[in-house]
Amino acid sequence: MLILVVNCGSSTVKYQLFDMQDPEQGRVIAKGIVERIGLPGSRLEHYYDEKSVIREREVNNHKVALEWILEVLTDPQIGVIQNVKEIEAVGHRVVHGGEKFRESVLIDEKVIETVREYVQLAPLHNPPNILGIEACRSVLPDVPQVAVFDTAFHATMPPHAYTYAIPYEYYEKYRIRRYGFHGTSHRYVAERAAKILRRDLSSLKLITCHMGSGVSFAAIKNGESIDTSMGFTPLEGLIMGTRCGDIDPAIVLFLMEKEGLSIKEMDEILNKKSGVLGVSGISSDTRDIEDAAPSNPRAQLTLDLIAYRAKKYIGAYYAVLGGLDALVFTAGIGENSSYIRKSICEGLEHLGITIDEAKNTVRRKEAVISQDGAPVKVMVVPTNEELMIARDTWRLVAQKR
């Protein structure tokens, strides 16, 4: 079965075409991205057979972008299929599924309408997700489509983990609660960690650390998420590239009054001017911060903050899990930064967490980096959200047949 995985942003469409003959592994036969949709300078980057090509043309909307992708996939010179009819299903990343979607689902009009209801909870993400779904339904009208939700994996959190201590009526009226994000990534690395350890996921206590430009940790017990660091929005939790993470909410009110800031301006500060960028004053990319740290105190402070906040979450999740079998690092920082992994794990020896410095040099490869015989396995597991989407799509479409 050939499955097209689509991830739509406000001005981008990322895609991967999977051959799911082996649903466990999958095989990417082409991938790429259309950028600057609706903007001058629209371009497509397409990767196939260890080759790549870049093309430019005007792309006014997501439907035009999808039509271009299908055109490239079937191109006699650079394509990988002869006809779009070879695509048997499409899997979509959808950021917010609210409380109604606890797992991936086949898309119909009712599903689209429900996703639309959650636009107010994810105003930057759900609208382009919907545009992508509608575009695919337009250009591939007879092909089954599946929605895979970032929030779904965290639907197993108990009420005491997802409820905020504000008047309960706001939960009842507006569904204000912790939802959590990066769920597809947390689910993938948890399953891979269990396979690497040759253990049943249903018997494990894991802390998964998704550390990229966005950062979230999850406490996973017996295969289910029981807590996660992101909350009602992706702003809560750990320090991120440009997001502040946990903050005293009174600071927001204080700054709005002192600086005369509007809601939009305050939102811009919290989401786009804070975090690693805000503290360092250098960059939102931790690679730049690591390079600058030896001679820049604010850069070093930024790295210290990242490690300190991470330790606090690991300690908290160790407590709620009642122990720990493995600590798993993933995503851009987690997969590549030996310095940040080491900084986070230093001082956690009393929890059974110890790093082997030679093993910790690994980058973008599955590896156990803890010391031999350590009670807690420390692991690096590169994430693969697209494969997870392809798997869920394959499963739901195969069940329907």
Side-chain angles (χ1 to χ4, degrees):
M1 181 186 294
L2 293 186
I3 292 176
L4 181 64
V5 171
V6 175
N7 181 356
C8 288
S10 58
S11 61
T12 62
V13 176
K14 297 178 184 177
Y15 64 93
Q16 291 194 19
L17 184 64
F18 281 86
D19 179 348
M20 296 300 286
Q21 186 172 352
D22 178 357
E24 181 63 26
Q25 299 294 328
R27 182 171 68 89
V28 178
I29 57 177
K31 65 180 181 179
I33 182 172
V34 179
E35 298 178 296
R36 299 184 63 81
I37 297 170
L39 301 168
S42 304
R43 67 200 296 266
L44 179 146
E45 294 182 18
H46 177 68
Y47 301 87
Y48 67 105
D49 296 333
E50 299 184 354
K51 303 173 186 175
S52 65
V53 64
I54 296 175
R55 292 185 173 178
E56 296 184 358
R57 69 163 65 161
E58 187 176 343
V59 180
N60 292 327
N61 55 52
H62 288 71
K63 181 174 181 289
V64 173
L66 263 299
E67 289 172 340
W68 193 10
I69 290 168
L70 295 177
E71 177 187 314
V72 168
L73 289 173
T74 56
D75 185 282
Q77 276 73 49
I78 63 172
V80 292
I81 56 176
Q82 293 183 338
N83 194 299
V84 294
K85 292 182 179 179
E86 295 177 49
I87 298 173
E88 297 179 69
V90 180
H92 295 268
R93 178 195 180 218
V94 181
V95 167
H96 216 305
E99 292 185 309
K100 293 186 179 179
F101 295 114
R102 301 176 64 88
E103 58 187 4
S104 303
V105 295
L106 283 162
I107 294 171
D108 57 21
E109 291 296 337
K110 186 176 179 181
V111 168
I112 294 174
E113 188 55 40
T114 305
V115 172
R116 208 182 301 278
E117 290 175 13
Y118 291 121
V119 163
Q120 61 179 339
L121 299 182
L124 299 179
H125 297 93
N126 273 30
N129 296 160
I130 294 167
L131 288 174
I133 291 169
E134 292 177 335
C136 282
R137 295 183 92 202
S138 175
V139 299
L140 297 168
D142 300 319
V143 175
Q145 320 240 352
V146 170
V148 180
F149 300 94
D150 274 9
T151 51
F153 180 61
H154 302 301
T156 51
M157 285 189 293
H160 62 256
Y162 69 66
T163 301
Y164 288 112
I166 58 175
Y168 196 74
E169 64 186 271
Y170 297 132
Y171 168 67
E172 296 174 314
K173 288 171 66 175
Y174 306 116
R175 314 319 287 176
I176 295 176
R177 50 157 286 180
R178 179 181 307 281
Y179 288 102
F181 300 88
H182 293 145
T184 309
S185 176
H186 288 292
R187 179 159 62 106
Y188 175 82
V189 298
E191 291 181 6
R192 281 301 305 157
K195 285 183 170 63
I196 294 166
L197 296 174
R198 298 181 181 178
R199 296 275 303 275
D200 189 331
L201 181 59
S202 64
S203 70
L204 288 174
K205 298 174 181 178
L206 305 174
I207 298 174
T208 50
C209 307
H210 180 108
M211 302 186 72
S213 57
V215 180
S216 68
F217 287 10
I220 300 172
K221 188 173 186 177
N222 304 333
E224 294 186 344
S225 173
I226 62 169
D227 204 350
T228 189
S229 57
M230 284 181 170
F232 180 64
T233 75
L235 185 60
E236 187 181 0
L238 294 117
I239 296 169
M240 304 175 226
T242 61
R243 299 179 194 142
C244 63
D246 293 337
I247 188 173
D248 181 344
I251 294 171
V252 176
L253 305 177
F254 180 88
L255 285 177
M256 290 181 75
E257 180 179 0
K258 292 293 184 182
E259 297 286 323
L261 300 170
S262 67
I263 292 173
K264 185 177 181 180
E265 289 169 331
M266 193 70 241
D267 180 78
E268 181 90 0
I269 289 169
L270 297 175
N271 278 288
K272 297 182 179 180
K273 296 181 178 180
S274 298
V276 171
L277 174 62
V279 177
S280 72
I282 298 171
S283 169
S284 62
D285 192 320
T286 57
R287 291 172 295 187
D288 297 333
I289 309 307
E290 287 187 43
D291 289 342
S295 60
N296 187 310
R298 276 176 57 185
Q300 185 60 55
L301 172 63
T302 304
L303 295 175
D304 293 344
L305 279 170
I306 291 169
Y308 180 71
R309 296 278 187 93
K311 289 179 200 288
K312 291 207 298 183
Y313 267 96
I314 291 168
Y317 287 169
Y318 188 103
V320 299
L321 287 166
L324 187 63
D325 294 303
L327 177 68
V328 188
F329 290 99
T330 193
I333 299 169
E335 294 168 22
N336 291 291
S337 178
S338 58
Y339 176 87
I340 289 178
R341 292 193 300 253
K342 178 184 176 182
S343 298
I344 289 171
C345 292
E346 282 180 339
L348 299 180
E349 293 82 6
H350 61 293
L351 299 182
I353 296 170
T354 56
I355 287 275
D356 182 305
E357 294 205 22
K359 295 177 183 178
N360 188 38
T361 58
V362 69
R363 293 168 58 88
R364 291 189 178 180
K365 290 183 180 179
E366 293 182 346
V368 176
I369 61 172
S370 47
Q371 293 181 5
D372 293 342
V376 176
K377 300 296 184 185
V378 182
M379 309 176 70
V380 176
V381 179
T383 191
N384 196 334
E385 294 166 276
E386 291 79 13
L387 176 57
M388 210 67 184
I389 293 170
R391 283 182 189 165
D392 279 9
T393 302
W394 175 86
R395 174 176 52 82
L396 286 167
V397 172
Q399 286 175 354
K400 188 181 177 183
R401 292 179 172 177

